[in-house]
Amino acid sequence: MNNLNNKKPLSQKILEEIRKGAPQIPRSHFFIKNTGFWALTVSSILVGGIVISALLFRMIVMTQFEPKVPPSGPVEVLYLVPILWIILLSALIYFAYKATRKTELGYRYKLSTIIVTILFLTVVCGLVFYRIGTGIILDQLVGDHFLLQNDIDAIRLMR
Amino acid sequence: MPEANSQSDEDLVAICLTQDKEVFGTLVERYEDKLSRYIRRISRLKTEDIEDLLQVVFLKVWQNLQSFNPHLKFSSWIYRIAHNETLTYIRNGKTGAHGHVLDIDEEMLENIASEIDVFKETSKEHDAEILQKVLAKLPQDQYDVIVLKFFEDKSYDEISDILTIPPGTVATRINRAKSKVKEIMSNNGYKYE
């Protein structure tokens, strides 16, 4: 009997499972998942844009009020090249890349295409945010809440 | 189901989702042998394991049918599920599978030989035997694209959709596999060109 069952066509076995109520994941689940990954990509680009606006503020505006002497130590180099911002920006770009790859047809695009597009959009957002003054707000916010940034500023002003 | 048999896969999926679940049986019949062969080629599973795995694959297809994107070919999508499920099956240790089983017929051999530019002077029977040994030594990522390109006769775009990698990467892997085949043959003293 068991042997006879095994000989049943596969299509028959599958249809029996379906008739018994084999579950089907609803379309909304996939839609939410795909939209979620796109939302993560867009969020990463927007946050990256804000970070770029702060970076631009540091590099363009702040340096205008600083003495024009070369950095004398590693901390000052850190100040001139805001490495924390760059690390955060890199992390956001990586995050945006991973999220894009997870979208429905994201695998079709080359790594370089995705990275360049994300970078371009992030820079565009950064310029827009800088123009509307997001850079100074974020810079002040970070200065008020993160000791490291204040320390670097203090060292610089003492020179 | 005489009517269903003349419909495209994509049409059958649409019917299956909106009108008649039973049409799914036609899709199973269409792909049972193809997927069985494909699974055998990318794994060394026993026939009983392949039968079990096929059930899992078709139930997974049914489970995810609502996510099928009509911009894709259904065959690419179902091959992708079969590929992933086979890897999961092997990874979960449900089998002691290792290596691959490649049934190389004359047409395939000529196809591969003309692409890779090898096996021009030896007998076909001998060539098939050598090719089996050489392909088994390829890294998995290169082996997968070779199987899909030359054994399953898939286009670069289809391979891209099955393995979820960019088409450019498919081309790169195929080129690397061709070079690797020549290298392995040369290192093992097999004659070519």
Coordinates of all heavy atoms in Angstrom, one line a residue, chain A residues 6-19 21-31 33-34 97 101 103-111 114, chain B residues 1 17 21-26 28-29 32 51 54-56 58-59 61-69 71-72 80 157 160-168:
Chain A
N6 N 3.7 5.8 -2.9 CA 4.9 6.4 -3.4 C 4.9 6.6 -4.9 O 5.5 7.5 -5.4 CB 6.1 5.5 -2.9 CG 6.4 5.7 -1.5 OD1 6.0 6.7 -0.9 ND2 7.1 4.8 -0.9
K7 N 4.1 5.7 -5.6 CA 4.1 5.8 -7.0 C 3.1 6.9 -7.5 O 3.0 7.1 -8.7 CB 3.7 4.4 -7.6 CG 4.8 3.4 -7.4 CD 6.0 3.7 -8.1 CE 7.2 2.7 -7.8 NZ 8.5 3.2 -8.2
K8 N 2.4 7.5 -6.6 CA 1.5 8.5 -7.0 C 2.2 9.7 -7.7 O 3.3 10.1 -7.2 CB 0.8 9.0 -5.7 CG -0.6 9.6 -6.0 CD -1.1 10.3 -4.8 CE -1.5 9.3 -3.7 NZ -2.0 9.9 -2.5
P9 N 1.7 10.2 -8.8 CA 2.4 11.3 -9.5 C 2.6 12.5 -8.5 O 1.8 12.8 -7.6 CB 1.5 11.7 -10.6 CG 0.5 10.6 -10.7 CD 0.4 9.9 -9.4
L10 N 3.7 13.2 -8.7 CA 4.1 14.3 -7.8 C 3.0 15.4 -7.9 O 2.7 15.9 -6.8 CB 5.5 14.8 -8.3 CG 6.0 16.0 -7.4 CD1 6.3 15.6 -6.0 CD2 7.3 16.6 -8.0
S11 N 2.5 15.6 -9.1 CA 1.5 16.7 -9.2 C 0.3 16.4 -8.3 O -0.3 17.3 -7.7 CB 1.1 16.9 -10.7 OG 0.6 15.7 -11.1
Q12 N 0.0 15.1 -8.3 CA -1.2 14.6 -7.4 C -0.9 14.9 -5.9 O -1.7 15.4 -5.2 CB -1.4 13.1 -7.7 CG -2.8 12.7 -7.5 CD -3.8 13.4 -8.4 OE1 -3.5 13.6 -9.6 NE2 -4.9 13.9 -7.8
K13 N 0.3 14.5 -5.5 CA 0.7 14.7 -4.1 C 0.7 16.2 -3.8 O 0.2 16.6 -2.7 CB 2.1 14.2 -3.9 CG 2.3 12.7 -3.9 CD 3.8 12.4 -3.6 CE 4.1 11.0 -3.9 NZ 5.5 10.7 -3.8
I14 N 1.2 17.1 -4.7 CA 1.2 18.5 -4.4 C -0.2 19.1 -4.3 O -0.6 19.8 -3.4 CB 2.0 19.3 -5.4 CG1 3.5 18.7 -5.5 CG2 2.0 20.8 -5.2 CD1 4.3 19.0 -4.3
L15 N -1.0 18.6 -5.3 CA -2.4 19.1 -5.3 C -3.2 18.7 -4.0 O -4.0 19.5 -3.5 CB -3.2 18.7 -6.5 CG -2.8 19.4 -7.8 CD1 -3.5 18.8 -9.0 CD2 -3.1 20.9 -7.7
E16 N -2.9 17.5 -3.5 CA -3.5 17.0 -2.3 C -3.1 17.9 -1.1 O -4.0 18.3 -0.3 CB -3.1 15.6 -2.0 CG -4.0 14.6 -2.7 CD -3.5 13.2 -2.6 OE1 -2.7 12.9 -1.6 OE2 -3.8 12.3 -3.4
E17 N -1.9 18.3 -1.1 CA -1.4 19.2 0.0 C -2.1 20.6 -0.1 O -2.5 21.2 0.9 CB 0.1 19.4 -0.1 CG 1.0 18.2 0.2 CD 0.9 17.9 1.7 OE1 0.8 18.8 2.5 OE2 0.9 16.6 2.0
I18 N -2.2 21.0 -1.4 CA -2.9 22.3 -1.6 C -4.4 22.3 -1.1 O -4.9 23.2 -0.4 CB -2.8 22.8 -3.1 CG1 -1.3 23.1 -3.4 CG2 -3.7 24.0 -3.4 CD1 -1.0 23.4 -4.8
R19 N -5.0 21.2 -1.5 CA -6.4 21.0 -1.1 C -6.6 20.9 0.4 O -7.6 21.4 1.0 CB -7.0 19.7 -1.8 CG -7.3 19.9 -3.2 CD -7.9 18.6 -3.8 NE -7.6 18.5 -5.2 CZ -7.0 17.5 -5.8 NH1 -6.5 16.5 -5.1 NH2 -6.8 17.5 -7.1
G21 N -5.0 22.6 2.3 CA -4.8 23.9 2.9 C -3.4 24.3 3.1 O -3.1 25.1 4.0
A22 N -2.5 23.9 2.2 CA -1.1 24.3 2.3 C -1.1 25.9 2.2 O -1.7 26.4 1.4 CB -0.3 23.8 1.1
P23 N -0.4 26.5 3.2 CA -0.5 28.0 3.3 C 0.2 28.7 2.1 O 1.1 28.2 1.5 CB 0.3 28.3 4.6 CG 1.2 27.1 4.7 CD 0.6 25.9 4.1
Q24 N -0.3 29.9 1.9 CA 0.3 30.7 0.8 C 0.5 32.1 1.5 O -0.4 32.7 2.1 CB -0.7 30.9 -0.4 CG 0.0 31.0 -1.7 CD -0.9 30.9 -2.8 OE1 -2.1 31.3 -2.8 NE2 -0.4 30.5 -3.9
I25 N 1.7 32.6 1.3 CA 2.0 33.9 1.9 C 1.3 35.0 1.1 O 1.5 35.0 -0.1 CB 3.6 34.1 1.9 CG1 4.3 33.0 2.7 CG2 3.9 35.5 2.5 CD1 5.8 33.0 2.6
P26 N 0.6 35.9 1.8 CA -0.1 36.9 1.0 C 0.8 37.9 0.3 O 1.9 38.2 0.8 CB -1.0 37.6 2.1 CG -0.3 37.3 3.4 CD 0.4 36.0 3.2
R27 N 0.2 38.5 -0.8 CA 1.0 39.5 -1.6 C 1.4 40.7 -0.7 O 2.6 41.2 -0.9 CB 0.1 40.0 -2.7 CG 0.9 40.7 -3.8 CD -0.1 41.2 -4.8 NE -0.7 40.1 -5.6 CZ -0.2 39.6 -6.7 NH1 0.9 40.0 -7.2 NH2 -0.9 38.6 -7.3
S28 N 0.6 41.1 0.2 CA 0.9 42.2 1.1 C 2.2 42.0 1.8 O 3.0 43.0 2.0 CB -0.2 42.5 2.0 OG -0.4 41.4 2.8
H29 N 2.5 40.8 2.2 CA 3.7 40.5 2.9 C 5.0 40.9 2.1 O 5.9 41.5 2.6 CB 3.8 39.0 3.3 CG 5.1 38.5 3.8 ND1 5.4 38.5 5.2 CD2 6.2 38.1 3.2 CE1 6.6 38.0 5.3 NE2 7.1 37.8 4.1
F30 N 4.9 40.5 0.8 CA 6.1 40.7 -0.1 C 6.2 42.2 -0.4 O 7.2 42.8 -0.5 CB 5.9 39.9 -1.4 CG 5.9 38.4 -1.1 CD1 4.7 37.7 -1.2 CD2 7.1 37.8 -0.7 CE1 4.7 36.4 -0.9 CE2 7.0 36.4 -0.4 CZ 5.9 35.7 -0.5
F31 N 5.0 42.8 -0.5 CA 4.9 44.3 -0.8 C 5.6 45.1 0.3 O 6.4 45.9 0.1 CB 3.5 44.7 -1.1 CG 3.3 46.2 -1.3 CD1 3.7 46.7 -2.6 CD2 2.9 47.1 -0.3 CE1 3.6 48.1 -2.8 CE2 2.8 48.4 -0.5 CZ 3.2 48.9 -1.8
K33 N 7.6 44.0 2.6 CA 9.1 43.6 2.7 C 9.9 44.5 1.6 O 10.9 45.1 2.0 CB 9.2 42.2 2.4 CG 10.6 41.6 2.7 CD 10.6 40.1 2.6 CE 11.9 39.6 2.3 NZ 11.9 38.2 1.9
N34 N 9.4 44.5 0.4 CA 10.1 45.2 -0.7 C 10.1 46.7 -0.4 O 11.1 47.4 -0.5 CB 9.4 44.9 -2.0 CG 10.3 45.2 -3.2 OD1 11.5 45.0 -3.1 ND2 9.7 45.8 -4.2
Y97 N 23.3 50.3 0.3 CA 23.7 49.3 -0.7 C 23.0 47.9 -0.4 O 22.4 47.3 -1.2 CB 25.2 49.2 -0.8 CG 25.7 47.9 -1.5 CD1 25.5 47.8 -2.9 CD2 26.2 46.8 -0.8 CE1 25.9 46.6 -3.5 CE2 26.6 45.7 -1.4 CZ 26.4 45.6 -2.7 OH 26.8 44.4 -3.4
R101 N 20.1 45.9 -2.5 CA 20.4 44.5 -3.0 C 19.2 43.6 -2.6 O 18.9 42.6 -3.2 CB 21.7 44.0 -2.5 CG 22.9 44.2 -3.4 CD 22.8 43.3 -4.6 NE 23.4 43.8 -5.8 CZ 24.7 43.5 -6.1 NH1 25.4 42.8 -5.3 NH2 25.1 44.0 -7.2
T103 N 16.1 44.4 -2.3 CA 14.8 44.6 -3.0 C 14.6 43.6 -4.1 O 15.6 42.9 -4.4 CB 14.8 46.1 -3.6 OG1 15.9 46.2 -4.5 CG2 14.9 47.1 -2.5
E104 N 13.4 43.6 -4.6 CA 13.0 42.5 -5.5 C 14.0 42.3 -6.7 O 14.4 41.2 -7.0 CB 11.6 42.8 -6.0 CG 10.9 41.6 -6.4 CD 9.4 41.9 -6.7 OE1 8.9 43.0 -6.4 OE2 8.8 41.0 -7.4
L105 N 14.4 43.4 -7.4 CA 15.2 43.2 -8.5 C 16.6 43.8 -8.3 O 17.4 44.0 -9.3 CB 14.6 43.7 -9.8 CG 13.3 43.1 -10.2 CD1 12.6 43.8 -11.4 CD2 13.5 41.6 -10.6
G106 N 16.9 44.1 -7.1 CA 18.2 44.8 -6.7 C 19.4 44.1 -7.1 O 20.5 44.7 -7.4
Y107 N 19.3 42.7 -7.2 CA 20.5 41.9 -7.5 C 21.0 42.1 -8.9 O 22.1 41.8 -9.3 CB 20.2 40.4 -7.3 CG 19.1 39.9 -8.2 CD1 19.4 39.5 -9.5 CD2 17.8 39.9 -7.8 CE1 18.4 39.0 -10.3 CE2 16.8 39.5 -8.6 CZ 17.1 39.0 -9.9 OH 16.1 38.6 -10.7
R108 N 20.1 42.7 -9.8 CA 20.5 42.9 -11.2 C 21.5 44.0 -11.4 O 22.2 44.0 -12.4 CB 19.3 43.2 -12.0 CG 18.4 42.0 -12.3 CD 17.2 42.4 -13.2 NE 16.4 41.3 -13.5 CZ 15.3 41.3 -14.3 NH1 15.0 42.5 -14.8 NH2 14.6 40.3 -14.6
Y109 N 21.7 44.9 -10.4 CA 22.6 46.0 -10.6 C 24.0 45.7 -10.1 O 24.1 45.0 -9.1 CB 22.0 47.3 -9.9 CG 20.6 47.6 -10.4 CD1 19.5 47.3 -9.6 CD2 20.4 48.1 -11.7 CE1 18.2 47.5 -10.0 CE2 19.1 48.3 -12.1 CZ 18.0 48.0 -11.2 OH 16.7 48.2 -11.7
K110 N 25.0 46.2 -10.8 CA 26.3 46.0 -10.4 C 26.6 46.8 -9.1 O 26.0 47.8 -8.9 CB 27.3 46.5 -11.5 CG 27.4 45.6 -12.7 CD 28.6 46.0 -13.5 CE 28.5 47.3 -14.1 NZ 29.6 47.6 -15.1
L111 N 27.6 46.3 -8.4 CA 28.0 46.9 -7.1 C 28.3 48.4 -7.4 O 27.9 49.3 -6.7 CB 29.1 46.1 -6.5 CG 29.8 46.8 -5.3 CD1 29.5 46.0 -4.0 CD2 31.3 46.9 -5.5
I114 N 25.3 50.7 -8.1 CA 24.6 51.0 -6.9 C 25.3 52.0 -6.0 O 24.7 53.0 -5.6 CB 24.3 49.7 -6.0 CG1 23.4 48.7 -6.9 CG2 23.5 50.0 -4.8 CD1 23.1 47.4 -6.2
Chain B
M1 N -6.0 18.3 -18.3 CA -6.2 19.8 -18.5 C -5.7 20.2 -19.9 O -4.6 20.8 -20.0 CB -5.4 20.5 -17.4 CG -6.2 20.6 -16.1 SD -5.1 21.4 -14.9 CE -4.5 20.0 -14.0
L17 N -3.7 31.8 -9.4 CA -3.9 32.8 -8.3 C -5.3 33.3 -8.2 O -5.8 33.7 -7.2 CB -2.9 34.0 -8.4 CG -1.4 33.6 -8.1 CD1 -0.5 34.8 -8.5 CD2 -1.2 33.3 -6.6
K21 N -6.9 26.7 -8.5 CA -5.7 26.2 -7.9 C -5.2 24.9 -8.5 O -4.0 24.7 -8.5 CB -6.0 25.9 -6.4 CG -6.2 27.1 -5.5 CD -6.5 26.7 -4.1 CE -6.8 27.9 -3.2 NZ -7.2 27.5 -1.9
E22 N -6.1 24.2 -9.1 CA -5.8 22.9 -9.6 C -4.8 23.0 -10.8 O -4.1 22.0 -11.1 CB -7.0 22.1 -10.1 CG -8.1 21.9 -9.1 CD -7.7 20.8 -8.1 OE1 -7.1 19.8 -8.5 OE2 -7.8 21.0 -6.9
V23 N -4.8 24.2 -11.4 CA -3.9 24.4 -12.6 C -2.4 24.3 -12.1 O -1.5 24.0 -13.0 CB -4.2 25.8 -13.2 CG1 -3.1 26.2 -14.1 CG2 -5.5 25.8 -13.9
F24 N -2.2 24.4 -10.8 CA -0.8 24.3 -10.3 C -0.2 22.9 -10.7 O 1.0 22.8 -10.9 CB -0.8 24.5 -8.8 CG 0.6 24.7 -8.3 CD1 1.3 25.9 -8.5 CD2 1.2 23.7 -7.5 CE1 2.6 26.1 -8.0 CE2 2.5 23.9 -7.0 CZ 3.2 25.1 -7.2
G25 N -1.1 21.9 -10.8 CA -0.7 20.6 -11.2 C 0.0 20.6 -12.5 O 1.0 19.8 -12.7
T26 N -0.5 21.4 -13.4 CA 0.2 21.4 -14.8 C 1.6 22.0 -14.7 O 2.5 21.5 -15.3 CB -0.7 22.3 -15.7 OG1 -2.0 21.9 -15.7 CG2 -0.2 22.3 -17.1
V28 N 3.5 21.8 -12.1 CA 4.3 20.7 -11.5 C 4.8 19.7 -12.6 O 5.9 19.3 -12.7 CB 3.6 20.0 -10.4 CG1 4.4 18.8 -9.8 CG2 3.2 20.9 -9.2
E29 N 3.8 19.3 -13.4 CA 4.1 18.3 -14.5 C 5.2 18.9 -15.4 O 6.1 18.2 -15.9 CB 2.8 18.0 -15.2 CG 2.0 17.0 -14.5 CD 0.5 16.9 -15.0 OE1 0.3 17.5 -16.1 OE2 -0.3 16.4 -14.3
E32 N 8.7 19.1 -13.3 CA 9.2 18.0 -12.5 C 10.5 17.4 -13.0 O 11.5 17.3 -12.3 CB 8.1 16.9 -12.4 CG 8.4 15.8 -11.5 CD 7.3 14.7 -11.5 OE1 6.2 15.0 -12.0 OE2 7.6 13.6 -10.9
E51 N 13.4 13.3 -4.9 CA 11.9 13.3 -4.9 C 11.4 14.0 -3.7 O 10.4 14.8 -3.8 CB 11.4 11.8 -4.8 CG 11.4 11.2 -6.2 CD 11.2 9.7 -6.2 OE1 10.8 9.1 -5.1 OE2 11.4 9.0 -7.2
L54 N 12.0 17.7 -4.3 CA 11.1 18.3 -5.3 C 9.7 18.7 -4.7 O 9.1 19.7 -5.0 CB 10.8 17.3 -6.4 CG 11.8 17.3 -7.6 CD1 11.5 16.2 -8.6 CD2 11.9 18.7 -8.3
Q55 N 9.3 17.8 -3.8 CA 8.0 18.2 -3.0 C 8.2 19.4 -2.3 O 7.3 20.3 -2.3 CB 7.7 17.0 -2.1 CG 7.1 15.8 -2.7 CD 6.3 15.0 -1.7 OE1 5.5 15.5 -1.0 NE2 6.6 13.7 -1.7
V56 N 9.3 19.5 -1.6 CA 9.6 20.8 -0.8 C 9.6 22.0 -1.8 O 9.0 23.0 -1.5 CB 11.0 20.6 -0.1 CG1 11.3 21.9 0.6 CG2 10.9 19.5 0.9
F58 N 8.2 22.4 -4.8 CA 6.9 22.8 -5.3 C 6.0 23.4 -4.3 O 5.2 24.3 -4.6 CB 6.3 21.6 -6.0 CG 6.9 21.3 -7.4 CD1 7.5 20.2 -7.6 CD2 6.8 22.3 -8.4 CE1 8.1 19.9 -8.9 CE2 7.3 22.0 -9.7 CZ 8.0 20.9 -9.9
L59 N 6.1 22.9 -3.0 CA 5.3 23.5 -2.0 C 5.8 24.9 -1.7 O 5.0 25.8 -1.4 CB 5.3 22.6 -0.7 CG 4.4 21.4 -0.9 CD1 4.6 20.4 0.4 CD2 2.9 21.7 -1.0
V61 N 7.2 26.9 -3.9 CA 6.7 27.7 -5.0 C 5.2 28.1 -4.8 O 4.9 29.2 -4.9 CB 6.8 26.9 -6.3 CG1 6.1 27.6 -7.5 CG2 8.3 26.6 -6.7
W62 N 4.5 27.1 -4.3 CA 3.0 27.4 -4.0 C 2.9 28.5 -2.9 O 2.2 29.4 -3.0 CB 2.3 26.1 -3.6 CG 1.0 26.4 -3.0 CD1 0.6 26.4 -1.7 CD2 -0.2 26.8 -3.8 NE1 -0.7 26.7 -1.6 CE2 -1.3 27.0 -2.9 CE3 -0.5 27.0 -5.1 CZ2 -2.5 27.3 -3.2 CZ3 -1.7 27.4 -5.5 CH2 -2.7 27.5 -4.6
Q63 N 3.7 28.3 -1.9 CA 3.7 29.2 -0.7 C 4.1 30.6 -1.1 O 3.5 31.6 -0.6 CB 4.8 28.7 0.3 CG 4.6 29.3 1.7 CD 5.8 28.8 2.6 OE1 6.8 28.2 2.1 NE2 5.6 28.9 3.9
N64 N 5.0 30.7 -2.1 CA 5.5 32.1 -2.5 C 4.9 32.6 -3.8 O 5.4 33.6 -4.3 CB 7.0 32.1 -2.6 CG 7.6 32.0 -1.2 OD1 7.8 32.9 -0.5 ND2 8.0 30.7 -0.8
L65 N 3.9 31.9 -4.3 CA 3.4 32.2 -5.6 C 2.9 33.7 -5.8 O 3.0 34.3 -6.8 CB 2.2 31.2 -6.0 CG 2.0 31.0 -7.5 CD1 3.2 30.5 -8.2 CD2 0.8 30.1 -7.7
Q66 N 2.4 34.2 -4.7 CA 1.9 35.6 -4.7 C 3.1 36.6 -4.9 O 2.8 37.8 -5.3 CB 1.2 36.0 -3.4 CG 0.1 35.0 -3.0 CD -1.3 35.6 -3.4 OE1 -1.4 36.6 -4.1 NE2 -2.3 35.0 -2.9
S67 N 4.3 36.1 -4.7 CA 5.4 37.1 -4.8 C 6.0 37.0 -6.2 O 7.0 37.7 -6.5 CB 6.5 36.7 -3.8 OG 7.3 35.6 -4.2
F68 N 5.5 36.1 -7.0 CA 6.0 36.0 -8.4 C 5.9 37.3 -9.2 O 4.8 37.8 -9.3 CB 5.4 34.8 -9.1 CG 5.8 34.8 -10.6 CD1 7.1 34.5 -11.0 CD2 4.8 35.0 -11.6 CE1 7.5 34.5 -12.3 CE2 5.2 35.0 -12.9 CZ 6.5 34.7 -13.3
N69 N 7.0 37.8 -9.7 CA 7.0 39.0 -10.4 C 6.8 38.7 -11.9 O 7.7 38.1 -12.5 CB 8.4 39.7 -10.1 CG 8.4 41.1 -10.8 OD1 7.7 41.4 -11.7 ND2 9.4 41.9 -10.4
H71 N 7.5 40.3 -14.4 CA 8.6 40.8 -15.2 C 9.7 39.7 -15.4 O 10.5 39.8 -16.2 CB 9.2 42.0 -14.6 CG 8.2 43.2 -14.6 ND1 7.6 43.7 -13.5 CD2 7.7 43.9 -15.7 CE1 6.8 44.7 -13.9 NE2 6.8 44.8 -15.2
L72 N 9.6 38.7 -14.5 CA 10.6 37.6 -14.6 C 10.0 36.5 -15.4 O 8.8 36.4 -15.5 CB 10.9 37.1 -13.2 CG 11.8 37.8 -12.2 CD1 11.9 37.1 -10.9 CD2 13.1 38.1 -12.8
R80 N 15.3 29.3 -9.4 CA 16.0 29.9 -8.3 C 15.5 29.3 -7.0 O 16.4 29.0 -6.1 CB 15.5 31.4 -8.2 CG 16.2 32.2 -7.1 CD 15.5 33.5 -6.8 NE 15.5 34.4 -7.9 CZ 14.9 35.6 -8.0 NH1 14.2 36.0 -6.9 NH2 15.0 36.3 -9.0
D157 N 20.8 36.5 -18.8 CA 19.8 37.2 -18.0 C 19.1 36.2 -17.1 O 18.7 36.5 -15.9 CB 18.8 38.0 -18.8 CG 19.4 39.3 -19.4 OD1 20.4 39.7 -18.8 OD2 18.9 39.8 -20.4
S160 N 21.3 35.2 -14.3 CA 21.3 36.3 -13.4 C 20.1 36.2 -12.4 O 20.2 36.4 -11.2 CB 21.3 37.6 -14.1 OG 20.8 38.7 -13.4
D161 N 18.9 36.0 -13.0 CA 17.7 35.9 -12.2 C 17.7 34.6 -11.3 O 17.1 34.7 -10.2 CB 16.4 35.9 -13.1 CG 16.2 37.2 -13.8 OD1 16.6 38.2 -13.2 OD2 15.7 37.3 -14.9
I162 N 18.3 33.6 -11.8 CA 18.3 32.3 -11.0 C 19.2 32.4 -9.8 O 18.9 32.1 -8.7 CB 18.6 31.1 -11.9 CG1 17.6 30.9 -12.9 CG2 18.9 29.9 -11.0 CD1 18.0 29.9 -14.0
L163 N 20.4 32.9 -10.1 CA 21.4 33.0 -9.0 C 21.4 34.3 -8.2 O 22.2 34.5 -7.3 CB 22.8 32.7 -9.6 CG 23.0 31.4 -10.3 CD1 24.4 31.3 -10.9 CD2 22.8 30.2 -9.3
T164 N 20.5 35.2 -8.7 CA 20.4 36.6 -8.1 C 21.8 37.3 -8.0 O 22.2 37.7 -7.0 CB 19.7 36.6 -6.7 OG1 20.5 35.8 -5.8 CG2 18.3 36.1 -6.8
I165 N 22.4 37.3 -9.2 CA 23.7 38.1 -9.3 C 23.5 38.9 -10.6 O 22.8 38.6 -11.5 CB 24.9 37.1 -9.4 CG1 24.7 36.1 -10.5 CG2 25.2 36.5 -8.1 CD1 26.0 35.2 -10.7
P166 N 24.3 40.0 -10.7 CA 24.2 40.8 -11.9 C 24.6 40.1 -13.2 O 25.5 39.2 -13.1 CB 25.1 42.0 -11.7 CG 25.4 42.0 -10.2 CD 25.2 40.6 -9.7
P167 N 24.0 40.4 -14.4 CA 24.4 39.7 -15.6 C 25.9 39.8 -15.9 O 26.5 38.9 -16.4 CB 23.6 40.4 -16.7 CG 22.4 41.0 -16.0 CD 22.9 41.3 -14.6
G168 N 26.5 40.9 -15.5 CA 28.0 41.1 -15.7 C 28.8 40.1 -14.9 O 29.8 39.5 -15.4

